[in-house]
Amino acid sequence: MGDPLDPDAGAGAQPERGGWRATLVLRWAERLAACSPDLVEVSDVELKHALAELADELAEALQDPSRAAESGRIVGERLVELRATGPGSLQCTLELIRDTVVGESGVGAVGHLLELLTSIAAGYSAADRERAEVQQRTTAQLLLRADRERRASDARFREVFTSTPIGVAICDLKGRFTEVNPALADILRHREADLLEMSIHDLFHPEEAAYLNAAYAELAEGGPGQRLRERRRLLRADGEQAWTYLAVSLLRGAEGEPRHIVTMVEDISDLYLLQERIQYQALHDAMTGLANRQYFRTRLEAAQGNFPPDGMLTLYHLGLDGFELINDGLGYETGDKVIRAVAHRLEQLVENEEALVARFGGTEFAILISESPHTPAIPEFAALINEELSEPIYIGRHGIATSASIGVVRRRVAEADPANMMWAADVALRRAEIAGARQWALFDPDIAPDERTEAQLAAIMPGALELGEFQVCYRPVMALDTGALISVEAQLRWDPPDHGALGHRECLQLAERSGVTLSLRDWLLREAWGQVGLWHRSGYRTCFLVELSENQVRDPDLVALVRSVLEDGDLDPSWMHLAVPTRVVMEASEELLENLRLLRGLGTRVMLHSFAGSAPELRALRRIPVDGVRLAEELVDLVHGCVDPDDPAVRAVRQLAPLMHDSGVKICTGEVADEQQERHWVDAGCDFAVGPRYGEPVTAWDAQALLRKFGAAQPPHEHDHESEGDVV
């Protein structure tokens, strides 16, 4: 069927989207967009496409009047679906269709057009009414659901509010409580009813009130800080402070205005007390309750800010004398009681001073005093310390007294560098201990560089030993009667970086401080014994001598070590000569003397060094047989300084030789520098000598040349005891 509004349309032709329909779509889309705000959800392209389909529906209805009612309904419903339901949307649609169709066609099909417009209006109204009813039902369902969820949420909130162990309070912007939960009442030991009559400000600890009042006021004003997270103190009903963690937030109304403040209170009093206890233990000595080294240093650092810069600080570093006798003789429990008593007495001694007493550990204490006009002078106060400690401490049936060696350093507050000051006091204490028990020493800055250098060397010595930085050097030991080399003395040598070479005695002293005394001894014995074995296999038959320190000899494992060293070689043990300190034999326990006897039993030769020939030393020789003695350096220097051959010191040495020889003990002297000194010792009856006259310590390679020079080379053969060198 042709379009009655298109004179060129033939029968059965499909509607063309041109002419009046194109004009209708453009105007329709423009009018609907202007009067229907909800159309923003539909794009312009989508809208025009939908309206073009509706224009097609209108064209077909106009061609077939029987479709007018159905097409009108479809157009009306479709407009509602497109949400073209704004005010005037239906009216502008009807007017636009009327004007466009009539104006474009010029055909007076008014009856059909009126029916079509009426159907559009009816379809639109029915669809719009149905949509409104659906929206109402949906809205009602949503409101019902929201109400149920709100009630459920309120119930959950109420359950959490009342059962949580964290205190919760809701207050108005002035801080007055509007609601509190049971946990808050329990934490602060108030009744809930009493809290509701109070404000949050009534709970602030006086020392916290100013800060918290300002923080809550800022929250109430809706300032940039919308919440507060702080560890703060509150007051309980009984006035006791409660350490709490506060989480405070601002609640706003529907329009964003500040309405309420929520405060959540977690009781951390137990945690705080535990942390305080842990911190106290970390800064105090567990046995005495005194400050420990760390806390003492912290207080020393704080002194620079707390005291006038021109004020004076004095640090006393104490080391109790001979305390091992108390532990060994009376037991460690008694020793602990004495330590606690000493701590108490030191605190009493400075109770009228601006002072701090600390225990650095073991038997070491420290006292820091900020001097005042009535503070005793250093000598007087050092004497007071030992006077206080000398009073017997009665533990059970025993009255125990002790004394202290004291190192002292005194500085202006402005110059009191904590690390340097503590180091200086320690240096002074070591000097006091060397001087003997109950002595005190003031730090001497003139020797400080040497002390620091020695400490640095002792600190790096273990690593140097591990890295192989030590050498064994050898010097000849000569027979004074024949001028023959009978032995070599093995000595330590160390060339640390940025420091001059260190000899045997210096290495032993540093080893005592660094803790490698025994390791160094073990390495020296194995190295020297191995070298002597090489020389023997090359035809240079000589024994070697090693001078040991007191601690190296007192080691209970010395015999086991020597046995192990001997087993590593194939030489007779008599080629090994060990020199032990005379003082060790004089003070030796029966166990140590037995070890020395065992050394001789292994076949090694044992001699004494640092022998001065005193009556106690001569008596000590009866406790253990030795093969020889080396005279003490002090005695040798005394004799070398005597011009008169009849000097008492010289006569004493001459009288010593027959006594020693009668006992089968030979004598060695040291540091012989020239021929005159050599003749003197020959006249005195000495048997052997070492010193610059015969050669300085040299490396193993150079020592082999000495062996050749002094006639130690012999054809390799199986030696026996008759061919072995004499002991030195």
Side-chain angles (χ1 to χ4, degrees):
M1 178 182 300
D3 188 345
L5 301 179
D6 189 350
D8 298 325
Q14 293 297 321
E16 295 290 339
R17 289 185 179 171
W20 70 270
R21 279 177 286 180
T23 302
L24 174 63
V25 169
L26 292 176
R27 294 178 179 175
W28 202 358
E30 182 180 350
R31 298 285 296 275
L32 288 179
C35 61
S36 296
D38 290 344
L39 276 174
V40 294
E41 298 180 6
V42 181
S43 70
D44 185 60
V45 174
E46 292 174 337
L47 177 61
K48 289 179 179 179
H49 180 73
L51 294 179
E53 291 180 346
L54 294 182
D56 292 342
E57 186 69 33
L58 290 173
E60 292 183 5
L62 291 173
Q63 290 179 357
D64 183 2
S66 64
R67 289 178 51 86
E70 178 64 18
S71 294
R73 183 186 63 79
I74 292 174
V75 172
E77 290 179 354
R78 182 63 176 144
L79 288 175
V80 174
E81 290 176 5
L82 291 173
R83 306 180 71 84
T85 56
S89 295
L90 177 60
Q91 181 178 351
C92 75
T93 295
L94 296 177
E95 291 176 351
L96 187 60
I97 293 173
R98 179 198 63 191
D99 295 342
T100 301
V101 172
V102 173
E104 291 292 336
S105 65
V107 178
V110 178
H112 298 312
L113 181 58
L114 182 59
E115 183 181 3
L116 180 60
L117 294 178
T118 302
S119 299
I120 292 173
Y124 178 96
S125 299
D128 189 45
R129 189 167 50 253
E130 182 178 356
R131 182 180 66 85
E133 292 175 355
V134 170
Q135 288 180 339
Q136 289 175 355
R137 289 195 299 270
T138 301
T139 301
Q141 291 173 353
L142 291 175
L143 290 174
L144 182 60
R145 182 185 303 169
D147 184 62
R148 287 199 299 267
E149 291 179 353
R150 181 186 59 76
R151 289 197 298 269
S153 177
D154 288 345
R156 288 193 298 270
F157 169 77
R158 186 57 52 189
E159 176 65 23
V160 172
F161 186 79
T162 56
S163 63
T164 180
I166 296 177
V168 182
I170 301 175
C171 59
D172 60 21
L173 298 181
K174 293 185 178 181
R176 294 187 294 264
F177 290 119
T178 60
E179 195 166 4
V180 297
N181 72 340
L184 182 65
D186 290 341
I187 292 172
L188 300 179
R189 300 172 186 170
H190 279 283
R191 294 187 305 170
E192 292 183 51
D194 294 337
L195 284 174
L196 291 174
E197 297 178 358
M198 302 167 62
S199 75
I200 188 69
H201 306 287
D202 298 327
L203 303 179
F204 297 157
H205 189 279
E207 296 178 9
E208 309 276 9
Y211 172 81
L212 289 175
N213 285 333
Y216 271 77
E218 183 179 352
L219 277 174
E221 294 172 359
Q226 298 297 304
R227 57 183 59 194
L228 177 71
R229 300 288 185 271
E230 299 276 356
R231 265 180 35 154
R232 294 291 170 181
R233 286 172 291 172
L234 300 180
L235 286 179
R236 292 193 169 105
D238 56 5
E240 180 184 346
Q241 68 178 13
W243 277 96
T244 64
Y245 181 80
L246 298 181
V248 188
S249 301
L250 177 67
L251 293 182
R252 295 182 178 273
E255 302 299 326
E257 76 284 2
R259 294 292 300 274
H260 292 90
I261 295 176
V262 177
T263 302
M264 303 182 71
V265 180
E266 182 180 1
D267 187 0
I268 59 170
S269 297
D270 291 342
L271 176 61
Y272 175 81
L273 294 175
L274 177 61
Q275 290 175 337
E276 286 285 295
R277 182 62 182 170
I278 292 174
Q279 184 178 13
Y280 179 87
Q281 292 174 346
L283 298 176
H284 292 78
D285 175 58
M287 182 184 298
T288 63
L290 297 179
N292 61 15
R293 182 186 294 270
Q294 178 184 349
Y295 188 37
F296 186 85
R297 176 167 176 165
T298 300
R299 290 288 297 274
L300 187 53
E301 292 172 348
Q304 293 180 307
N306 296 336
F307 297 111
D310 58 347
M312 299 301 298
L313 293 175
T314 306
L315 196 163
Y316 296 83
H317 190 175
L318 288 65
L320 300 184
D321 299 320
F323 201 81
E324 63 276 4
L325 297 177
I326 297 176
N327 283 334
D328 295 344
L330 300 176
Y332 285 93
E333 183 176 349
T334 298
D336 292 346
K337 292 179 180 178
V338 173
I339 289 291
R340 285 190 284 268
V342 168
H344 180 64
R345 291 186 177 187
L346 293 178
E347 285 186 305
Q348 287 184 319
L349 188 63
V350 297
E351 61 183 359
N352 294 324
E353 299 283 349
E354 184 74 38
L356 174 67
V357 182
R359 183 189 179 205
F360 283 179
T363 59
E364 292 191 10
F365 295 82
I367 302 175
L368 178 66
I369 297 179
S370 175
E371 294 185 7
S372 65
H374 64 267
T375 300
I378 291 175
E380 181 184 351
F381 190 76
L384 286 174
I385 291 174
N386 273 308
E387 182 181 331
E388 187 71 25
L389 297 182
S390 65
E391 288 293 326
I393 301 167
Y394 288 94
I395 300 175
R397 297 179 293 105
H398 305 289
I400 304 169
T402 185
S403 64
S405 299
I406 308 170
V408 187
V409 60
R410 185 171 182 262
R411 299 271 172 83
R412 291 177 63 247
V413 171
E415 301 169 351
D417 176 69
N420 182 270
M421 199 168 178
M422 292 177 69
W423 169 80
D426 183 72
V427 169
L429 173 60
R430 303 311 160 205
R431 288 183 51 233
E433 290 174 334
I434 293 173
R438 203 183 171 92
Q439 301 299 311
W440 68 273
L442 187 65
F443 174 71
D444 186 350
D446 293 334
I447 64 172
D450 294 336
E451 292 282 355
R452 184 175 291 277
T453 298
E454 182 177 334
Q456 291 173 345
L457 292 174
I460 67 174
M461 179 174 271
L465 179 59
E466 184 73 21
L467 295 173
E469 295 181 10
F470 284 86
Q471 287 182 308
V472 180
C473 292
Y474 303 87
R475 66 174 178 171
V477 182
M478 309 301 293
L480 290 176
D481 57 349
T482 65
L485 183 147
I486 62 160
S487 178
V488 291
E489 181 179 5
Q491 292 193 320
L492 291 164
R493 176 174 175 151
W494 180 29
D495 291 303
D498 303 323
H499 195 279
L502 301 177
H504 188 75
R505 294 284 178 85
E506 294 170 304
C507 288
L508 289 182
Q509 291 172 358
L510 288 173
E512 293 291 342
R513 295 189 65 177
S514 67
V516 297
T517 300
L518 302 184
S519 301
L520 201 58
R521 175 204 64 187
D522 299 354
W523 175 81
L524 172 61
L525 286 178
R526 293 187 186 278
E527 191 76 11
W529 187 243
Q531 183 60 56
V532 170
L534 289 175
W535 284 334
H536 274 247
R537 288 190 290 275
S538 299
Y540 303 102
R541 293 162 58 83
T542 184
C543 56
F544 85 99
L545 167 69
V546 173
E547 185 177 291
L548 302 177
S549 69
E550 292 186 19
N551 286 334
Q552 289 175 341
V553 174
R554 287 193 175 99
D555 177 28
D557 295 328
L558 175 61
V559 175
L561 168 72
V562 172
R563 181 183 290 111
S564 173
V565 172
L566 293 174
E567 291 173 351
D568 287 343
D570 54 2
L571 298 180
D572 189 277
S574 60
W575 294 103
M576 180 184 291
H577 297 178
L578 302 175
V580 303
T582 301
R583 190 167 67 173
V584 169
V585 176
M586 294 177 62
E587 302 173 354
S589 63
E590 191 58 39
E591 179 183 4
L592 177 56
L593 293 177
E594 180 61 24
N595 281 344
L596 296 178
R597 296 187 187 100
L598 290 174
L599 287 176
R600 299 193 79 226
L602 292 176
T604 63
R605 304 295 180 89
V606 177
M607 65 179 298
L608 302 181
H609 68 75
S610 305
F611 187 83
S614 66
E617 290 177 341
L618 292 172
R619 285 195 297 270
L621 289 178
R622 299 177 182 177
R623 304 181 67 186
I624 178 172
V626 296
D627 299 290
V629 297
R630 172 179 284 183
L631 298 180
E633 289 184 3
E634 295 83 358
L635 181 59
V636 173
D637 291 341
L638 179 64
V639 172
H640 285 171
C642 294
V643 179
D644 185 0
D646 291 327
D647 188 277
V650 176
R651 293 201 307 269
V653 172
R654 288 177 176 173
Q655 294 170 0
L656 179 63
L659 293 175
M660 306 301 292
H661 290 158
D662 289 345
S663 302
V665 178
K666 297 186 178 182
I667 303 175
C668 177
T669 186
E671 305 312 316
V672 175
D674 52 39
E675 183 179 356
Q676 180 181 353
Q677 291 179 354
E678 181 184 62
R679 285 199 305 269
H680 176 84
W681 289 112
V682 171
D683 295 341
C686 285
D687 302 286
F688 312 108
V690 295
R693 175 166 172 72
Y694 313 108
E696 298 292 345
V698 294
T699 63
W701 177 262
D702 294 329
Q704 188 164 307
L706 287 175
L707 296 177
R708 284 197 303 269
K709 174 182 176 182
F710 290 107
Q714 299 179 9
H717 59 80
E718 292 296 326
H719 60 269
D720 52 32
H721 290 290
E722 293 181 358
S723 64
E724 294 162 6
D726 290 319
V727 70
V728 289

